[in-house]
Amino acid sequence: MMIELKPHTDRFAFIERLKWMGLEALVVGEHRLIIVRGVDKNVHLERFIALPEVAAVLPVKEKFKLASKAVKGQTIIQIKGKTIGGSELFIIAGPCSIESKEQMDFCAELAHAQGAGGLRGGAFKPRTSPYEFQGMGEEGLKILRDAGAKYNLVTVSEVMDASQIDMVASYVDILQVGARNMHNFSLLKELGRVKNPILLKRGFAASYQDLLLAAEYIISAGNPNVILCERGIRTFETHTRNTLDLNAVPALKELTHLPILVDPSHGTGRRSMVLPMARASIAAGADGLAVEVHPNPDRALTDAAQTIGPEAFAVMMREVRKIHSCLEA
Ligand code: PEP
Ligand code: MN
């Protein structure tokens, strides 16, 4: 059960009272919310509502509490004049890996011209093989920051390890947690203490509950600005790199108030499938997309097979905007 306290309540004194009532309580995040454990099903909620410090009692059935739809209608993140989770689409575009200033300047100009609000680029790459390109590191982040600044774009890059958080956060607006790190609980907890929103990608063998509990780690550690990203899961199908699970969009919309983006690039692994799955993602109700785009996709150092070029990106932007405008707000 969750209790929302009235403003200016002394949370710790209230928790002492609950202890005295034989209950265990937990303060979560920076909120006025506390989790109460040990409440017997037969205990009437009125008993808590009657306490003078209590604003509301929220019976949350799910294991994830702060991420649950039961506590909030919708999280809307405002950043650099853009909104994520509101009525606008939020599109993040850019290469898998940052490779050069020219490449990032090109992508930033393209993203801006086509109306995308976010610029992505990996500087620390979680490669399956240690012999593959590992990313440009901090030098790449400076390129990303400068390219994004020219067009007031929201910059996004992956942080792979807790030791990198402060450095990456000093260059980029949104910190990405990759699919391979969704279960890295020490990283998730540390991300709770930063101000930057977190783009949390679904692990390729993670259930919706696993994803939402990963989000719960970040929120309960103090950072409420988590954006979920469906990026495909492993199935028995080998034709595609992953199976883009678009069930995730309406399912997560029912379970959580957090914004949900879809990544049709990693979700398919195939350039020809990015556009149709981008369209389908928006039709399913996603708040936006994260798409790999490169000035010359065949020459991309990483993930070339799933990376689209500038013309395809322009078509994608036009079509997803049309689909979005057909949907009721
Ligand atoms: C990426 O966005 O470049 C990436 C590595 O994604 P994922 O963690 O979803 O594989
Ligand atoms: Mn990639």
Side-chain angles (χ1 to χ4, degrees):
M1 186 182 81
M2 294 200 67
I3 286 182
E4 185 183 345
L5 296 175
K6 288 184 182 157
H8 315 300
T9 300
D10 179 345
R11 297 201 278 191
F12 297 98
F14 183 72
I15 287 170
E16 281 308 308
R17 274 184 67 188
L18 291 177
K19 274 194 199 148
W20 182 78
M21 291 162 75
L23 298 167
E24 192 194 344
L26 209 69
V27 171
V28 280
E30 304 280 300
H31 314 261
R32 283 188 284 128
L33 293 169
I34 58 174
I35 292 174
V36 186
R37 288 198 288 229
V39 182
D40 191 290
K41 279 200 196 67
N42 301 319
V43 173
H44 291 297
L45 296 181
E46 290 79 38
R47 188 174 156 205
F48 293 94
I49 297 167
L51 297 173
E53 299 91 338
V54 172
V57 176
L58 312 161
V60 184
K61 297 189 299 295
E62 293 89 4
K63 272 182 142 182
F64 44 91
K65 306 288 177 194
L66 298 169
S68 168
K69 192 84 176 173
V71 302
K72 197 171 173 187
Q74 177 65 42
T75 289
I76 298 178
I77 298 171
Q78 312 264 6
I79 181 163
K80 288 190 162 166
K82 284 109 186 153
T83 58
I84 310 170
S87 56
E88 288 166 32
L89 277 184
F90 184 69
I91 312 288
I92 303 167
C96 180
S97 298
I98 301 162
E99 298 168 8
S100 68
K101 178 174 165 358
E102 294 67 35
Q103 172 219 33
M104 291 310 298
D105 284 348
F106 181 97
C107 290
E109 190 183 349
L110 176 72
H112 172 73
Q114 297 301 332
L119 179 68
R120 63 154 286 152
F124 296 95
K125 296 306 300 176
R127 305 309 303 283
T128 303
S129 161
Y131 306 120
E132 289 170 339
F133 178 56
Q134 303 288 308
M136 285 183 77
E138 192 167 354
E139 195 195 336
L141 294 177
K142 289 181 187 160
I143 294 175
L144 173 64
R145 175 197 59 193
D146 295 346
K150 284 186 193 157
Y151 299 97
N152 191 40
L153 295 167
V154 175
T155 53
V156 186
S157 200
E158 177 163 352
V159 53
M160 293 214 309
D161 187 88
S163 65
Q164 295 170 339
I165 294 176
D166 293 332
M167 188 271 287
V168 179
S170 72
Y171 294 108
V172 305
D173 301 309
I174 297 182
L175 304 181
Q176 175 173 318
V177 175
R180 291 157 193 80
N181 255 325
M182 194 212 80
H183 293 288
N184 183 342
F185 301 118
S186 54
L187 173 64
L188 300 176
K189 277 188 208 167
E190 283 297 309
L191 288 168
R193 62 175 178 77
V194 300
K195 297 270 173 289
N196 312 54
I198 309 299
L199 180 65
L200 178 64
K201 299 190 88 174
R202 180 182 180 190
F204 31 65
S207 66
Y208 305 149
Q209 176 168 285
D210 294 339
L211 174 62
L212 291 167
L213 285 170
E216 192 80 12
Y217 266 99
I218 302 170
I219 306 171
S220 64
N223 186 349
N225 294 321
V226 178
I227 305 153
L228 304 175
C229 183
E230 163 59 39
R231 47 78 71 209
I233 51 171
R234 286 258 165 95
T235 66
F236 52 80
E237 183 53 68
T238 54
H239 179 74
T240 45
R241 182 178 181 185
N242 291 290
T243 294
L244 187 63
D245 173 21
L246 287 186
N247 286 352
V249 177
L252 290 168
K253 284 279 168 202
E254 284 173 20
L255 293 169
T256 183
H257 51 83
L258 299 172
I260 299 145
L261 305 187
V262 175
D263 171 352
S265 308
H266 294 86
T268 60
R270 287 177 171 257
R271 196 178 296 164
S272 63
M273 292 178 68
V274 171
L275 173 62
M277 296 315 280
R279 289 192 300 239
S281 303
I282 299 308
D287 296 300
L289 301 166
V291 190
E292 289 186 340
V293 184
H294 190 284
N296 186 347
D298 284 332
R299 304 193 65 165
L301 288 183
T302 55
D303 286 350
Q306 68 193 32
T307 299
I308 59 171
E311 296 79 18
F313 177 66
V315 174
M316 187 202 88
M317 289 298 290
R318 248 194 338 267
E319 294 194 356
V320 297
R321 257 202 298 266
K322 264 193 216 159
I323 292 172
H324 187 243
S325 69
C326 294
L327 305 173
E328 300 278 330

